[in-house]
Amino acid sequence: MEWTREEFDAAVTEHGRRMFRAARAVLDSDADAEDAVGQAVLQAWQSLDRLRDRSAVRPWLVKIAVNCAYAQRRRQGRVVYLDDLPQEPAAPQPQGHDGLWEAVCALPPERRAVVALFYYEGLPVDEIARVLGVPPGTVKSRLSRARAQLKEMLQEQEGECGRV
């Protein structure tokens, strides 16, 4: 059974937030993640005939978004936005995290991706391994290291808040 445009639009609308979160976990800015999701939607539409199982649309769309995000990251290399640079040298500021998502975004990209896919998207370890193209053991070790790093970051934040 072929997909109609309306069915595809509904699937993208339903899973668009998940696609964005997954892409944002790989990329360093919301704008870059939005670009990756736009590219993912285009690729998904162009290859929709390859999706055999309609019930697998969520992980399929998320995987395409992650792949587009990684491709964008490779194309960009390391980008520094001029708007993000201070006009004058400033005194070092403590790096607190306003919340859990901000702490997750501060993780290295490979850890950030597994945390977003596991906790925010609810994907199992084996599916994350397929999406990222790494062995399940690698996903588990990245999750473990990310948990430890998040715990440390959040404890530091809690300590900073207590010193005010």
Side-chain angles (χ1 to χ4, degrees):
M1 183 174 161
E2 296 224 4
W3 286 73
T4 66
R5 183 182 175 106
E6 291 76 22
E7 290 171 326
F8 179 75
D9 288 346
V12 168
T13 300
E14 180 180 351
H15 304 297
R17 191 172 190 88
R18 290 180 174 97
M19 293 170 69
F20 174 80
R21 259 196 314 257
R24 180 61 178 88
V26 172
L27 297 165
D28 295 324
S29 75
D30 288 354
D32 289 343
E34 289 170 2
D35 290 344
V37 170
Q39 183 64 36
V41 169
L42 177 63
Q43 283 185 14
W45 175 251
Q46 291 172 340
S47 59
L48 192 56
D49 59 327
R50 293 187 213 153
L51 178 64
R52 302 282 180 234
D53 181 7
R54 283 179 176 254
S55 66
V57 71
R58 182 185 107 191
W60 184 72
L61 287 172
V62 170
K63 180 175 184 168
I64 293 171
V66 167
N67 289 341
C68 287
Y70 275 120
Q72 183 170 333
R73 187 171 195 82
R74 282 189 302 274
R75 280 192 308 271
Q76 287 177 332
R78 182 124 180 121
V79 175
V80 176
Y81 295 98
L82 294 177
D83 293 343
D84 293 342
L85 295 175
Q87 296 299 326
E88 299 175 12
Q93 297 290 324
Q95 266 197 319
H97 302 283
D98 295 339
L100 184 58
W101 178 247
E102 288 77 14
V104 169
C105 288
L107 291 171
E110 67 278 352
R111 292 181 188 171
R112 186 171 55 211
V114 296
V115 167
L117 294 173
F118 187 80
Y119 288 107
Y120 290 90
E121 300 311 319
L123 294 180
V125 169
D126 290 338
E127 184 65 31
I128 296 169
R130 279 195 295 279
V131 167
L132 299 178
V134 298
T138 301
V139 172
K140 291 176 185 177
S141 67
R142 287 179 184 175
L143 273 172
S144 176
R145 290 183 182 120
R147 286 182 194 117
Q149 189 174 357
L150 284 170
K151 180 179 179 182
E152 183 179 312
M153 292 163 72
L154 294 172
Q155 284 175 340
E156 286 175 11
Q157 177 189 359
E158 189 176 287
E160 289 173 6
C161 290
R163 286 187 238 141
V164 175

